[in-house]
Amino acid sequence: MAANNRTADASLESLHRIFTVPEAPDSTLGLIEKELSENLNEFLRTHIAATEKPLAEIEKDFSDAGIPEVPSFVSEHTQFLLNKLVAQSVHTAAPTFIGHMTSALPYFMMPLSKIMIALNQNLVKIETSKAFTPLERQVLGMLHKLIFNQNESFYQQWMHSADHSLGAFCSGGTIANITALWVARNAALQPDGDFTGVGQQGLLRAMKHYGYDDLAILVSERGHYSLKKAADVLGIGRDSLIAIKTDDNNRIDLDELQSTLTDLNHKNIKPFAIIGIAGTTETGNIDPLDQLADIAAEHQCHFHVDAAWGGATLMSNKYRHLLKGIERADSITIDAHKQLYIPMGAGMVIFKNPELMTAIEHHAEYILRKGSKDLGSHTLEGSRSGMAMLLYASMNIISRPGYELLINNSIEKAHYFAQCIEQHPDFELVTCPELCLLTYRYVPENTQQALQQATPEQRDILLELLNDLTQFIQKRQRESGKSFVSRTRITPEKWQRKPTTVFRVVLANPLTTTEILENVLIEQQQLAQQSTISLPEIVKLTEEIIEKRAKNDR
Amino acid sequence: MAANNRTADASLESLHRIFTVPEAPDSTLGLIEKELSENLNEFLRTHIAATEKPLAEIEKDFSDAGIPEVPSFVSEHTQFLLNKLVAQSVHTAAPTFIGHMTSALPYFMMPLSKIMIALNQNLVKIETSKAFTPLERQVLGMLHKLIFNQNESFYQQWMHSADHSLGAFCSGGTIANITALWVARNAALQPDGDFTGVGQQGLLRAMKHYGYDDLAILVSERGHYSLKKAADVLGIGRDSLIAIKTDDNNRIDLDELQSTLTDLNHKNIKPFAIIGIAGTTETGNIDPLDQLADIAAEHQCHFHVDAAWGGATLMSNKYRHLLKGIERADSITIDAHKQLYIPMGAGMVIFKNPELMTAIEHHAEYILRKGSKDLGSHTLEGSRSGMAMLLYASMNIISRPGYELLINNSIEKAHYFAQCIEQHPDFELVTCPELCLLTYRYVPENTQQALQQATPEQRDILLELLNDLTQFIQKRQRESGKSFVSRTRITPEKWQRKPTTVFRVVLANPLTTTEILENVLIEQQQLAQQSTISLPEIVKLTEEIIEKRAKNDR
């Protein structure tokens, strides 16, 4: 079936061929692979359609729920995938795609990934992964050292210890966050006397045993939505993930955190975890981790840091000070598929104390036997691929100073773009970049002035119209396919905490140039003029406000 | 850095090169890729060392927790990976590796995987996945139809509905099982009057509102260990995952299930989920799903079927009757990386009712907005890769009848092997294959006879010694590297439910021949003779028993 001379009937012999006969170099798939190997960027540029096709149109090509009764030729099907799937996928590696946390990938990832997939190891147990297990343990150790910098004997003792784990490699930040909070919950409600622990006996008995009326997790209102999911899954409930308001720099308000903790204490509610954010998803800001560590220690809470985005900043000697205090965390989430430039599906949770993960340890009869070094006894997931190999290779090939250059470059590019926005009369920088994220919006110069002079009612109307306009521009820009920024809603102090729609930009792709950034602003300004409702109304109201003010001034 | 003329210092310019300059075809990595493309089986055979190196030795190569301060040449590092990692990995695709649920993969998976990785889509949202989103929804629809066979209008209505989901693609069966039970828990403790649901308010309030004293999940004692993890994570507690004993075919005992349900009812404990197993991990047996569906309906429980292994059997018109009743399940787990021959990291959970997943729906400001078709609003994981593409391609290229041939062949090969074991005087078949799994052990012919004649004390000693011998043979066989079977402990009726160590064989690799199977037995018989403790003691005790019996008979 793999070769072109396959007949359409599926015999066992022809099926054997697909497991033993490789794609010929001159087959469609072989040629694509060659093209992809020779110039990936060109492959993506030429095969992904630039302009957007309506989703409803695309869905028509994926509408049959029947599994085919007749086999397809590999080449024919590949052609279908090229025309219908690849062409309508998203060029996430494009230097102009600066709206989400994606980037171009190092070239060596493609052939290395192929080796990883060909080996098809299963990291749940030694028997199906062998050397991949010590490799993954080393990778976790490397990240642990990057964060906590323990001495060599620490890693000698713990990195390969069968009964311990410095963390877990997983599919992404969400699983990492859930794992961290699972460990925190089980440690807070651990076995005690006759009580065999929340993991064994469940939340209801745990609460009875410890005499708490409820549990709580605290995080700023900029916390990633996965934390709500975690609170739901873990049986705590989304309401018990308490969102603490932020200051104007999107950092957790420590006074409110303290008063909330006091309040919980009075209500006999146990706050078992405080979460600091190192790089909020929407604005890239970092909580005051050192002070959070103090507060967590004072209240005997597990201190988790969600550094899914910002953790990689630790690679930069120049900027790692931004995360000061992270070395006091009990657990940390880092995504390798973000600023460590690994393909999608590589998250990690790292624990300071190698004993902590025993709170979720589990065993089975056919694998994960006690004393085995099977990684599966300390992971939320079961079967897992050998993704850790890609991070391992990348840390060796790029090296720490190489990553530092990439990180520094991203941050400094964001500062440059922020400057462009601030200097432009018709744009408003809404959040300054601390890492390489920033938010802004298009506000005509006159309107910026009018907003200062408007009555509260007029201002509210203007802000509402500006939200519409931002959404309009963002959608148009995406559809036109030249460049892409995302959008979100935040509540800036400056605008009385009203939900404000903003453009959101993430500058992690090393191939994004300053010229591209300048063009994004030019394009957005042009797109704004195409708005037939919001912009005219903004202009009209702006003129009214300014005229009235001028009249009053006369 | 990608090219061989790279200098060792990491400048930003040299870093740019790793994102823009591909591996040259004559580079080490380029050559490996070529070798791998031309003959994967040969690559694996020649690069993976056959005999086992002690783990402690391997660990020495992965013992440094420091992230390198100096970059490595891609070619040098690749050579290191070949020598130290690939050489010491496990040849999971070998036709002689019949101990775990791995297999050779179809050749077209390698180039297709490379395309998938190069595209680096993120399926959490349309904005980073576009056509991959309808594709994944179609794949879920295809599996839904394979199981539930609803009519065309059903799929027209639901497959691409923004507010619904027929299931979730995920990293593996564990996440699938957790997702199913998460949905079941939230549906059982759904919003009601002032109570906003367990997801929102947590288990404690949910139990108060509904007035239950506890919750329970029921599954046979052969349930996969991930279910215990699920009970732990979800706050139910491992104790509340009630293991129902099995009959001699490893199928759940329905009488005990019924009496347990009655008992729970009396204790005011809510059994919110009953789980049927379609292919137990250890023995491959299938629970009586139709009867379980009746019981679940009677007790208003969510009926989940863990078909991580056996689900693919539905592709076979000849054998799908083995899973009769699965079409009455509320949710089903299927792993594509098992018998659908997809690389590691492809699990699925499918829900019969498209409304059910709303029990875990979630939203965020910057993505997953209400009304969007973002898949992330119904998944436990966040960012996810485009793995669904590989299953999509495979279902098209292999087709349903192709999969049927593979499934039939596996099952029939297991029957053949079972026959070999039964006909061999020195082996005992412990569990018969229902799918392509079976368990057995080496018991010399005389000892089989002695076991019938022994006193209970003698029998216990013999069984203990046989356990040691089985373990010895299995370890030796693994170490010698010619072939691999796994081992587990089960409790056969025949041996008074005493823990019995057995060889476990999984015959899903289409390249495994009957000759290989015959050789496995020959090798095991030879390895048994190398046992210097267990076997001599077994022989001695066997002789004593037989002589004594002979004496008594005289």
Side-chain angles (χ1 to χ4, degrees):
Chain A
M1 275 167 106
N4 284 328
N5 59 358
R6 180 205 61 134
T7 56
D9 69 309
S11 69
L12 199 57
E13 196 185 331
S14 72
L15 276 171
H16 265 183
R17 290 175 59 84
I18 68 171
F19 289 86
T20 53
V21 182
E23 292 312 299
D26 59 349
S27 69
T28 311
L29 202 45
L31 290 173
I32 289 171
E33 224 197 318
K34 188 158 173 276
E35 197 183 337
L36 204 149
S37 297
E38 282 171 2
N39 195 334
L40 172 63
N41 294 339
E42 185 64 14
F43 172 85
L44 297 173
R45 202 184 59 74
T46 52
H47 286 85
I48 300 178
T51 49
E52 190 168 285
K53 194 171 165 181
L55 193 56
E57 280 299 303
I58 298 175
E59 283 170 355
K60 286 183 189 155
D61 294 321
F62 301 97
S63 59
D64 188 356
I67 299 172
E69 281 291 322
V70 177
S72 295
F73 285 102
V74 172
S75 53
E76 269 166 32
H77 188 66
T78 304
Q79 203 54 57
F80 171 87
L81 290 176
L82 273 191
N83 298 345
K84 301 298 187 179
L85 180 70
V86 176
Q88 298 304 325
S89 64
V90 179
H91 191 350
T92 58
T96 51
F97 189 88
I98 54 173
H100 286 299
M101 294 171 159
T102 65
S103 164
L105 297 176
Y107 257 90
F108 59 79
M109 284 297 162
M110 302 322 131
L112 284 181
S113 296
K114 199 169 156 187
I115 296 176
M116 178 196 83
I117 284 168
L119 289 172
N120 206 29
Q121 305 292 288
N122 183 349
L123 273 282
V124 74
K125 51 187 178 283
I126 291 269
E127 284 181 351
T128 50
S129 61
K130 210 65 202 291
F132 272 75
T133 290
L135 173 134
E136 186 169 298
R137 283 178 174 273
Q138 184 184 2
V139 166
L140 294 170
M142 289 162 105
L143 270 292
H144 190 284
K145 192 170 162 66
L146 178 70
I147 302 163
F148 301 110
N149 199 27
Q150 301 293 298
N151 60 28
E152 205 180 315
S153 69
F154 176 92
Y155 297 101
Q156 289 296 324
Q157 186 175 359
W158 302 115
M159 205 157 67
H160 294 292
S161 165
D163 298 327
H164 299 84
S165 184
L166 297 178
F169 212 92
C170 56
S171 67
T174 297
I175 299 296
N177 278 338
I178 294 176
T179 304
L181 293 171
W182 181 26
V183 167
R185 187 201 67 182
N186 284 18
L189 305 171
Q190 66 191 3
D192 171 46
D194 285 347
F195 175 66
T196 54
V198 64
Q200 204 63 41
Q201 294 191 260
L203 266 173
L204 211 63
R205 285 203 180 74
M207 302 296 274
K208 265 185 211 155
H209 177 84
Y210 280 100
Y212 301 133
D213 283 330
D214 212 341
L215 301 173
I217 305 169
L218 297 104
V219 66
S220 94
E221 57 189 353
R222 290 277 162 276
H224 189 256
Y225 73 91
S226 63
L227 299 169
K228 279 202 180 172
K229 254 197 279 192
D232 178 344
V233 171
L234 292 168
I236 319 291
R238 288 160 193 242
D239 289 350
S240 294
L241 180 84
I242 300 176
I244 306 294
K245 73 168 193 193
T246 48
D247 65 20
D248 206 25
N249 288 316
N250 297 290
R251 299 190 189 111
I252 191 165
D253 182 321
L254 295 171
D255 291 336
E256 188 173 305
L257 175 64
Q258 281 284 21
S259 67
T260 305
L261 283 164
T262 309
D263 190 42
L264 292 171
N265 207 22
H266 289 155
K267 290 180 181 159
N268 190 33
I269 297 171
K270 168 70 184 167
F272 71 93
I274 292 177
I275 302 170
I277 312 170
T280 67
T281 311
E282 288 163 288
T283 61
N285 292 105
I286 302 161
D287 280 332
L289 303 178
D290 234 346
Q291 285 120 299
L292 284 179
D294 289 338
I295 296 172
E298 184 191 331
H299 293 269
Q300 291 175 298
C301 291
H302 181 102
F303 179 35
H304 176 64
V305 175
D306 183 353
W309 179 256
T313 313
L314 295 169
M315 292 282 194
S316 164
N317 291 344
K318 185 171 176 186
Y319 290 109
R320 69 171 284 150
H321 69 89
L322 293 173
L323 275 64
K324 193 172 171 316
I326 197 170
E327 71 285 355
R328 298 173 63 197
D330 294 303
S331 60
I332 285 152
T333 290
I334 296 188
D335 266 340
H337 59 224
K338 294 197 167 99
Q339 290 192 94
L340 294 173
Y341 300 96
I342 305 298
M344 196 51 61
M348 281 170 291
V349 58
I350 309 289
F351 289 87
K352 184 173 196 169
N353 177 352
E355 308 269 3
L356 209 46
M357 282 199 107
T358 53
I360 58 155
E361 197 173 296
H362 47 269
H363 299 281
E365 279 294 357
Y366 68 112
I367 52 164
L368 318 182
R369 302 179 189 100
K370 267 189 205 281
S372 86
K373 298 200 174 182
D374 295 344
L375 286 162
S377 50
H378 293 102
T379 56
L380 179 60
E381 292 169 287
S383 297
R384 285 183 305 105
S385 74
M387 286 292 279
M389 165 189 152
L390 302 183
L391 179 54
Y392 179 84
S394 205
M395 288 197 289
N396 277 281
I397 294 169
I398 296 180
S399 81
R400 208 267 322 142
Y403 272 118
E404 163 147 25
L405 281 172
L406 292 171
I407 296 287
N408 294 357
N409 182 245
S410 296
I411 293 177
E412 286 151 20
K413 210 183 300 172
H415 284 288
Y416 171 83
F417 191 42
Q419 220 174 12
C420 293
I421 294 164
E422 285 192 304
Q423 287 170 357
H424 197 300
D426 295 336
F427 283 92
E428 176 195 345
L429 185 67
V430 181
T431 60
C432 298
E434 195 172 353
L435 299 176
C436 64
L437 274 77
L438 57 84
T439 66
Y440 67 105
R441 59 178 181 170
Y442 174 78
V443 189
E445 189 172 15
N446 280 352
T447 309
Q448 291 184 37
Q449 188 196 326
L451 278 165
Q452 305 302 325
Q453 304 170 351
T455 64
E457 293 72 28
Q458 287 171 325
R459 196 181 52 215
D460 287 356
I461 297 170
L462 266 184
L463 292 177
E464 214 36 69
L465 287 166
L466 285 168
N467 282 351
D468 293 346
L469 182 62
T470 307
Q471 183 168 338
F472 171 85
I473 297 170
Q474 191 266 347
K475 280 192 173 177
R476 273 294 162 94
Q477 193 166 23
R478 189 190 71 203
E479 287 159 8
S480 77
K482 260 186 281 184
S483 51
F484 172 76
V485 304
S486 61
R487 69 170 201 272
T488 190
R489 281 159 85 86
I490 52 176
T491 52
E493 196 77 52
K494 184 178 174 191
W495 302 117
Q496 295 79 44
R497 302 201 154 266
K498 286 207 183 350
T500 301
T501 305
V502 291
F503 303 127
R504 168 174 167 270
V505 159
V506 188
L507 291 171
N509 191 333
L511 305 183
T512 304
T513 60
T514 52
E515 196 192 344
I516 286 173
L517 298 177
E518 289 152 16
N519 286 336
V520 164
L521 295 187
I522 294 171
E523 192 189 357
Q524 289 179 327
Q525 196 172 22
Q526 286 165 352
L527 289 171
Q529 313 314 315
Q530 294 176 16
S531 154
T532 53
I533 304 172
S534 319
L535 189 64
E537 286 189 33
I538 290 168
V539 170
K540 196 170 147 232
L541 188 52
T542 297
E543 281 168 4
E544 276 174 29
I545 294 167
I546 290 176
E547 269 171 35
K548 193 173 172 199
R549 179 63 179 259
K551 222 177 276 176
N552 289 351
D553 285 353
R554 275 201 295 271
Chain B
M1 276 168 99
N4 285 327
N5 58 357
R6 182 206 60 136
T7 57
D9 69 309
S11 69
L12 199 57
E13 197 185 331
S14 72
L15 276 171
H16 265 182
R17 289 176 58 82
I18 68 171
F19 288 86
T20 53
V21 182
E23 293 312 299
D26 59 347
S27 68
T28 311
L29 202 45
L31 290 173
I32 290 171
E33 224 198 318
K34 188 156 172 278
E35 198 182 333
L36 205 148
S37 297
E38 282 171 0
N39 196 335
L40 172 62
N41 294 338
E42 184 65 13
F43 172 86
L44 296 173
R45 203 184 59 73
T46 53
H47 286 85
I48 301 178
T51 51
E52 188 168 286
K53 193 171 167 181
L55 194 56
E57 280 299 303
I58 298 174
E59 282 170 356
K60 286 181 189 157
D61 294 320
F62 301 97
S63 59
D64 188 356
I67 299 171
E69 281 290 323
V70 178
S72 296
F73 286 102
V74 172
S75 53
E76 270 166 31
H77 187 67
T78 304
Q79 202 55 56
F80 171 87
L81 291 176
L82 272 191
N83 298 343
K84 301 297 187 181
L85 180 70
V86 176
Q88 298 305 325
S89 64
V90 179
H91 191 350
T92 58
T96 52
F97 189 89
I98 54 173
H100 285 300
M101 294 172 160
T102 65
S103 163
L105 297 176
Y107 257 91
F108 59 79
M109 285 296 163
M110 304 320 132
L112 284 181
S113 296
K114 199 169 155 186
I115 296 176
M116 177 195 81
I117 285 167
L119 289 172
N120 207 30
Q121 305 291 289
N122 183 348
L123 274 282
V124 73
K125 51 187 177 281
I126 291 268
E127 284 181 351
T128 50
S129 62
K130 208 65 204 288
F132 273 75
T133 292
L135 174 134
E136 187 169 298
R137 284 179 174 271
Q138 185 184 2
V139 167
L140 295 169
M142 288 163 106
L143 271 293
H144 191 286
K145 191 169 163 65
L146 179 69
I147 303 162
F148 301 110
N149 198 27
Q150 301 293 298
N151 60 28
E152 205 181 314
S153 69
F154 176 92
Y155 297 101
Q156 288 296 325
Q157 183 175 1
W158 301 114
M159 205 158 69
H160 294 291
S161 164
D163 298 326
H164 300 85
S165 184
L166 297 178
F169 212 91
C170 57
S171 68
T174 297
I175 299 295
N177 278 339
I178 295 176
T179 304
L181 292 171
W182 181 25
V183 167
R185 187 201 68 183
N186 284 18
L189 305 170
Q190 67 192 2
D192 171 47
D194 283 348
F195 175 65
T196 55
V198 64
Q200 204 63 40
Q201 294 193 260
L203 266 173
L204 212 62
R205 284 203 181 73
M207 301 295 272
K208 264 186 214 156
H209 178 82
Y210 280 99
Y212 301 132
D213 282 330
D214 212 341
L215 300 173
I217 304 169
L218 297 105
V219 66
S220 95
E221 56 189 354
R222 291 279 164 274
H224 189 255
Y225 72 93
S226 63
L227 299 171
K228 278 201 180 173
K229 256 198 277 190
D232 178 342
V233 171
L234 293 168
I236 320 289
R238 287 159 195 245
D239 289 350
S240 295
L241 180 83
I242 301 177
I244 305 294
K245 73 167 193 194
T246 48
D247 64 21
D248 206 27
N249 288 316
N250 297 289
R251 301 191 189 111
I252 191 165
D253 181 321
L254 295 171
D255 291 337
E256 190 172 301
L257 176 64
Q258 281 284 21
S259 67
T260 306
L261 283 164
T262 308
D263 191 41
L264 291 172
N265 206 23
H266 289 156
K267 290 180 180 157
N268 190 33
I269 297 172
K270 168 71 184 167
F272 71 94
I274 292 177
I275 301 171
I277 312 171
T280 68
T281 312
E282 289 162 288
T283 61
N285 292 106
I286 301 161
D287 280 332
L289 303 179
D290 234 347
Q291 284 119 302
L292 284 179
D294 289 337
I295 296 173
E298 183 191 332
H299 292 268
Q300 291 175 300
C301 292
H302 180 104
F303 179 35
H304 176 64
V305 174
D306 183 352
W309 178 256
T313 312
L314 295 170
M315 292 281 195
S316 164
N317 290 344
K318 184 171 177 186
Y319 289 109
R320 69 169 288 154
H321 70 88
L322 293 173
L323 275 65
K324 191 172 173 314
I326 197 171
E327 73 284 356
R328 297 173 63 194
D330 294 304
S331 60
I332 286 152
T333 289
I334 296 187
D335 266 341
H337 59 224
K338 294 197 167 97
Q339 291 193 93
L340 293 173
Y341 300 95
I342 304 299
M344 197 51 62
M348 280 169 291
V349 58
I350 309 289
F351 289 86
K352 184 172 195 169
N353 176 352
E355 307 269 3
L356 210 46
M357 282 200 106
T358 53
I360 59 156
E361 195 173 297
H362 47 270
H363 299 279
E365 279 294 358
Y366 69 110
I367 51 166
L368 317 182
R369 301 177 189 102
K370 266 189 206 282
S372 86
K373 298 201 173 180
D374 295 345
L375 287 161
S377 50
H378 293 101
T379 57
L380 179 61
E381 293 169 287
S383 296
R384 285 184 305 108
S385 73
M387 286 292 278
M389 164 188 151
L390 302 182
L391 179 54
Y392 179 84
S394 206
M395 287 197 290
N396 276 281
I397 294 169
I398 296 180
S399 79
R400 206 268 322 145
Y403 272 118
E404 162 146 26
L405 281 171
L406 293 169
I407 295 288
N408 294 357
N409 183 243
S410 297
I411 294 177
E412 285 150 20
K413 212 183 298 171
H415 283 287
Y416 171 82
F417 192 41
Q419 219 173 11
C420 293
I421 293 164
E422 284 192 304
Q423 287 171 356
H424 197 299
D426 294 338
F427 283 92
E428 176 196 347
L429 184 67
V430 181
T431 59
C432 298
E434 196 174 351
L435 299 177
C436 63
L437 275 78
L438 57 85
T439 66
Y440 67 104
R441 59 179 182 170
Y442 173 78
V443 189
E445 190 173 14
N446 280 351
T447 309
Q448 292 184 37
Q449 186 196 329
L451 277 165
Q452 305 303 324
Q453 304 169 350
T455 64
E457 292 73 28
Q458 287 171 325
R459 197 182 49 214
D460 286 357
I461 298 171
L462 266 184
L463 291 177
E464 215 35 72
L465 287 166
L466 284 168
N467 282 350
D468 293 347
L469 182 61
T470 307
Q471 184 167 337
F472 171 85
I473 298 170
Q474 192 266 347
K475 279 193 174 176
R476 274 293 163 93
Q477 192 166 24
R478 189 190 69 204
E479 286 159 11
S480 77
K482 258 185 283 182
S483 52
F484 172 78
V485 305
S486 60
R487 69 172 201 273
T488 190
R489 280 160 85 85
I490 52 176
T491 52
E493 196 76 51
K494 183 178 176 190
W495 302 118
Q496 295 78 45
R497 301 203 153 265
K498 288 206 183 349
T500 302
T501 305
V502 290
F503 304 127
R504 168 175 167 269
V505 160
V506 187
L507 291 171
N509 191 332
L511 305 182
T512 303
T513 60
T514 52
E515 196 190 347
I516 287 173
L517 298 176
E518 288 151 17
N519 286 335
V520 163
L521 295 186
I522 295 171
E523 192 189 358
Q524 289 179 327
Q525 196 172 25
Q526 287 165 351
L527 289 170
Q529 313 312 316
Q530 296 175 15
S531 155
T532 54
I533 305 170
S534 319
L535 189 63
E537 286 190 36
I538 289 169
V539 170
K540 196 169 146 235
L541 188 51
T542 296
E543 283 168 1
E544 278 174 28
I545 294 168
I546 290 175
E547 272 171 34
K548 193 172 172 202
R549 178 63 182 259
K551 221 177 278 176
N552 289 352
D553 284 352
R554 276 200 295 270

